[in-house]
């Protein structure tokens, strides 16, 4: 049910990582749907922002699965993080459906002490799929990045892993500490 997707258009790199509902065949179906719709949206017109791409993706998923908010209908969808990176301008757009973006930025203080800073940009708290926030548009976060920044996109897969020894989840706070 998790997938990643990468393409290049107009000297920009578009990267997405998603966690779809379902396991096995249902998760695989949602992954195929997500990848196909992302390619269709980006190939149709690349004047979209990252938020507009997610808005279009949500619209297509809701229409394809006939999700109207009625009881008993499919609640399938996906959480996703999507970036549009312009390496020439050193700029990045990020939009997320529940999933965040992390940047690890190294710096050296005026005293010559090296340190790392973790920057987290949270995704919107709504999925790709039907939700009560269907009329709310996804946020497009735009910012500059530095040459040595390390950018991470994640699903909840790593942080939900359960330790064989402690039987506890790894959790988001430990993932942030690890980064």
């Amino acid at each position: 049910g998790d997938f990643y997707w990468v393409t290049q258009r107009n000297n920009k790199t578009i990267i997405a990582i998603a966690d779809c509902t379902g396991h096995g065949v249902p998760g695989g179906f949602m992954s195929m749907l997500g990848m196909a719709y992302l390619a269709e949206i980006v190939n149709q017109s690349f004047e979209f922002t990252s938020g507009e791409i997610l808005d279009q993706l949500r619209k297509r998923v809701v229409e394809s699965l006939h999700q109207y908010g009625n009881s008993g209908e499919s609640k399938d969808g996906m959480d996703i993080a999507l970036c549009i990176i312009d390496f020439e301008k050193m700029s990045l757009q990020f939009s997320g459906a529940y999933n965040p973006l992390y940047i690890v930025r190294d710096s050296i203080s005026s005293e010559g002490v090296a340190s790392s800073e973790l920057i987290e940009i949270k995704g919107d708290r709504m999925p790709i799929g039907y939700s009560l926030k269907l009329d709310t548009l996804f946020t497009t976060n735009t910012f500059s990045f530095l040459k040595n920044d390390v950018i991470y996109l994640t699903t909840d897969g790593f942080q939900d892993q359960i330790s064989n020894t402690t039987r506890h989840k790894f959790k988001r706070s430990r993932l942030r500490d690890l980064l």
Side-chain angles (χ1 to χ4, degrees), residues 39-112:
E40 189 177 287
I41 292 163
V42 169
N43 288 328
Q44 174 187 19
S45 168
F46 189 67
E47 299 305 316
F48 289 128
T49 65
S50 59
E52 290 168 336
I53 292 172
L54 293 191
D55 293 333
Q56 288 291 316
L57 179 60
R58 176 175 55 186
K59 179 182 177 201
R60 292 172 192 216
V61 167
V62 166
E63 288 173 356
S64 293
L65 300 179
H66 306 288
Q67 296 175 326
Y68 306 105
N70 301 327
S71 73
E73 73 184 16
S74 164
K75 302 288 190 245
D76 289 328
M78 64 189 77
D79 299 342
I80 191 169
L82 185 135
C83 288
I84 300 174
I85 304 171
D86 186 329
F87 289 102
E88 290 175 7
K89 295 180 181 175
M90 298 296 284
S91 68
L92 186 144
Q93 286 183 25
F94 166 74
S95 297
Y98 285 112
N99 289 350
L101 170 130
Y102 296 105
I103 299 172
V104 175
R105 179 170 288 168
D106 292 334
S107 61
I108 298 177
S109 70
S110 58
E111 294 83 33

Side-chain angles (χ1 to χ4, degrees), residues 149-174:
D149 284 353
V150 180
I151 299 167
Y152 293 94
L153 300 175
T154 70
T155 66
D156 62 1
F158 193 85
Q159 62 198 27
D160 283 353
Q161 293 298 306
I162 298 173
S163 166
N164 286 337
T165 55
T166 65
R167 302 284 184 226
H168 292 97
K169 288 184 178 184
F170 192 78
K171 295 198 176 184
R172 185 181 199 185
S173 60
R174 288 181 63 200

Side-chain angles (χ1 to χ4, degrees), residues 2 9 116 157:
D2 286 11
R9 298 279 294 174
S116 291

